[in-house]
């Protein structure tokens, strides 16, 4: 079964690794796909999970709700995949964070700030994924999260700054 997860354009707190080019991004995405459990057209696959980049700017709560609404509209692929819904992307490994950056690069040609599903709305610095999965990977950009200018930063973004 594939769980669908969405990326939505907006913001960042995970670091970029090696400089990624569009060619490297396409290779990474192609390598990650599992042909036995295909994702819907327009989605990118990492192992058993499907991801989509959406360009429309939204607040984090509105982006999460948009993902959930998109997930409700998905139809199962006969005899292969039953979709379990959609949320902003959760990240569980360095490889998966690189994959998500590759998806954004392929979709936009650059590294715009992009919301993912991490939030700490319950208690400052106690992080959760919006899809309910375990928060088992973090690779914060140096000095992040920092509640810049005293404004609380309760949501996670990728592509913080330029590629390293």
């Amino acid at each position: 079964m594939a769980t669908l997860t969405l990326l939505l354009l907006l913001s960042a707190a995970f670091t970029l690794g090696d400089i990624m080019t569009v060619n490297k991004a396409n290779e990474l995405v192609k390598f990650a796909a599992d042909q036995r459990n295909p994702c819907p057209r327009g989605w990118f696959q990492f192992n058993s999970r499907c991801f989509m980049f959406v360009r429309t700017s939204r607040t984090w709560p509105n982006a999460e709700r948009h993902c959930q609404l998109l997930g409700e509209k998905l139809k199962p692929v006969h005899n292969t995949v039953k979709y379990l819904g959609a949320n902003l992307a959760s990240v569980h490994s360095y490889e998966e964070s690189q994959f998500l950056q590759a998806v954004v690069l392929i979709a936009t040609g650059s590294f715009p700030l992009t919301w993912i599903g991490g939030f700490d709305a319950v208690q400052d610095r106690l992080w959760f994924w919006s899809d309910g999965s375990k928060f088992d990977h973090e690779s914060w950009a140096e000095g992040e999260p920092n509640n810049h200018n005293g404004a609380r930063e309760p949501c996670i973004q990728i592509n913080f700054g330029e590629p390293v």
Side-chain angles (χ1 to χ4, degrees):
M1 284 193 237
T3 301
L4 296 180
T5 309
L6 297 179
L7 293 185
L8 289 173
L9 173 64
L10 280 177
S11 307
F14 283 89
T15 60
L16 293 171
D18 297 332
I19 294 176
M20 188 177 309
T21 64
V22 173
N23 287 341
K24 285 183 185 178
N26 281 314
E27 288 175 23
L28 192 149
V29 168
K30 183 178 179 182
F31 179 76
D34 178 355
Q35 301 305 321
R36 294 170 295 163
N37 294 305
C39 291
R41 173 173 254 117
W43 294 70
F44 297 86
Q45 187 168 11
F46 184 85
N47 296 329
S48 64
R49 297 174 65 209
C50 300
F51 298 86
M52 172 192 279
F53 181 84
V54 177
R55 290 180 181 263
T56 306
S57 295
R58 293 178 169 84
T59 63
W60 190 95
N62 287 340
E64 174 64 19
R65 183 65 185 136
H66 181 74
C67 293
Q68 293 170 351
L69 291 172
L70 285 176
E72 291 172 8
K73 295 177 184 177
L74 292 169
K75 306 250 188 289
V77 175
H78 184 66
N79 291 330
T80 53
V81 177
K82 179 181 181 205
Y83 298 119
L84 304 176
N87 294 89
L88 288 167
S90 56
V91 181
H92 301 284
S93 68
Y94 174 78
E95 294 76 19
E96 192 167 31
S97 68
Q98 292 295 293
F99 171 83
L100 294 176
Q101 289 171 334
V103 167
V104 173
L105 179 60
I106 290 166
T108 67
S110 65
F111 296 96
L113 297 174
T114 304
W115 288 125
I116 58 175
F119 70 100
D120 75 340
V122 177
Q123 178 180 343
D124 197 27
R125 307 231 183 215
L126 180 60
W127 293 94
F128 297 91
W129 290 118
S130 61
D131 64 7
S133 61
K134 183 178 178 183
F135 200 90
D136 55 2
H137 174 79
E138 59 183 65
S139 179
W140 307 113
E142 187 175 333
E144 293 292 339
N146 65 7
N147 293 336
H148 184 67
N149 289 333
R152 195 162 167 273
E153 296 176 325
C155 305
I156 299 178
Q157 306 164 324
I158 61 170
N159 297 331
F160 183 71
E162 294 299 314
V164 182

